[in-house]
Amino acid sequence: PQHRSCLAVAVRHGTRGAAIGGAFGAISTGFNAYQMGYRGASLMTQAGGGALSNALAFGSWTFLFGGSSCAMERIRGRRDAINAVVAGGFTGGVLAAVQVRHALRYNLPHVAQNAAISAMIAVVFYEVARI
């Protein structure tokens, strides 16, 4: 069987994640801005900022997760929940480490916690997708 490129998988996941994150960010930020009294162009600016922020965050997570999950599948030769746990933990850890890179050694518990939470989320989504 022909193998798919893990970079292509990561890009596809990242693109889809960015679209979902951007839509969610625009709606939620726009709604909150409207409640705070923003109207017209200023409302659209707020919604656009929320869309961009959420698109980058969710797109980054799904890009890293998609690529690392594909790599795990390639390395292990099987598609199972272990790949989701490892890929989720890796993704959460990397993204947390990037956030606290200026003082990483003082924030290792935060990085580990984020990795664990991401691993749990990933395995839940893996199991739900099997239903």
Side-chain angles (χ1 to χ4, degrees):
Q2 187 178 23
H3 289 292
R4 51 200 170 128
S5 161
C6 287
L7 178 59
V9 170
V11 169
R12 186 177 73 239
H13 280 249
T15 302
R16 290 176 181 172
I20 293 167
F24 178 76
I27 292 167
S28 64
T29 305
F31 182 73
N32 289 339
Y34 184 82
Q35 286 184 321
M36 292 183 349
Y38 287 92
R39 300 294 185 269
S42 61
L43 175 64
M44 299 310 281
T45 300
Q46 293 293 316
L52 180 60
S53 175
N54 280 276
L56 288 172
F58 204 67
S60 298
W61 199 95
T62 54
F63 175 87
L64 281 174
F65 178 79
S68 57
S69 180
C70 176
M72 285 298 299
E73 183 179 329
R74 183 87 41 87
I75 290 166
R76 296 183 64 241
R78 62 182 75 149
R79 182 181 295 183
D80 59 14
I82 293 171
N83 296 347
V85 169
V86 172
F90 169 77
T91 300
V94 166
L95 292 177
V98 168
Q99 287 179 337
V100 297
R101 66 187 170 276
H102 59 281
L104 182 58
R105 68 180 160 162
Y106 301 112
N107 290 292
L108 289 178
H110 167 72
V111 172
Q113 178 184 25
N114 204 48
I117 291 169
S118 292
M120 288 187 285
I121 291 169
V123 79
V124 166
F125 278 111
Y126 173 82
E127 293 298 332
V128 167
R130 293 181 55 209
I131 296 175

